[in-house]
Amino acid sequence: MRPFQNALRFAAIVFAFTIFAHAQQATETQTNPLVPPAPHAKPTHLKHVLVIGETKGFEHDSIPDAMAAIFDMGQESGLWDTTLRTDTELLTKKKLDRNAKNLDYFDAIVFTSTTGELDMDDSQKADMMSFIHDDGKGFVGVHAALDTNYKWPEYGEMIGGWFDQHPWMTFNAPIVNEDPNFPAVRHFPHEFVKYDEIYQPKEWSRDKVNVLLSLDASRLDYNNNPRIHRTDHDFAVAWSKMYGKGRVFYSTLGHTEEAWSDPDIKKMYFEAIKWVLGMTDGSTASHPRPTQP
């Protein structure tokens, strides 16, 4: 009988020590930064965002900053996961090998200062337009996304136009908030200044978009500036629009690397992505230009 009792006592001691060891390990994990946390399952995100940073023209230094910021936005908010690419392979609805995701997997596309004629064949172009126009998925264009795909008419129609010079290069741009109810610009005051490069759009019409931000034309210098082509002096800084069933947002802000450390700019694009994903509501109806003083 005594050996059995001794065995029970030994088992109890081992069990108690095991419990204590696990508790001690858990405490050390919580308090000691050198102890790695226990592995956990990948969190389930609501949406999937594809970020494209391919360039076939001018290469902006801010592209990595923009891509990293969008990745972090999704990671920190838990609202989306992000796939970062500097090629266009995934811009297709064709089945892809090697575990690659096609457009059927994604809910929105973001072009981060893409430039020139991107590497897309006709079937890819049709698939991307169908993704937005017919499937009702979202598109966000960052800065030089307007300096992209000049030979693709549907792209210009979708985003709202094309780049046609930056009359003042990078400068302290005087900006007016034309739609303070829109989620992506709600945090901006009525008038403010941002140091950035503002594009002048061509084949663009205020009647086809909802202008969210614009330059204050009364505070611009027009003297001896041959790069100014818009005789109406209507320079949009951000807009929203529909392309078929899909939501489209574009802003010229984000040229500099520093812009992606600016909480205002990051919040604008964070809310823009949420909006094109259908998580918030905002107008796409065009409106007249505000009266200039």
Side-chain angles (χ1 to χ4, degrees), residues 148-212:
T148 303
N149 294 323
Y150 294 93
K151 298 179 181 179
W152 182 9
E154 291 81 7
Y155 180 83
E157 179 184 353
M158 180 275 295
I159 196 172
W162 283 285
F163 164 79
D164 183 25
Q165 288 293 334
H166 28 61
W168 299 275
M169 305 300 285
T170 306
F171 75 122
N172 286 315
I175 300 173
V176 175
N177 187 345
E178 293 195 21
D179 188 357
N181 292 319
F182 195 88
V185 299
R186 188 177 291 146
H187 59 290
F188 287 119
H190 176 63
E191 296 180 1
F192 61 99
V193 173
K194 287 294 179 186
Y195 184 75
D196 215 312
E197 184 181 74
I198 309 302
Y199 281 1
Q200 172 180 237
K202 66 180 179 181
E203 298 185 39
W204 174 90
S205 172
R206 173 179 286 269
D207 296 336
K208 295 182 180 180
V209 303
N210 174 31
V211 176
L212 305 173

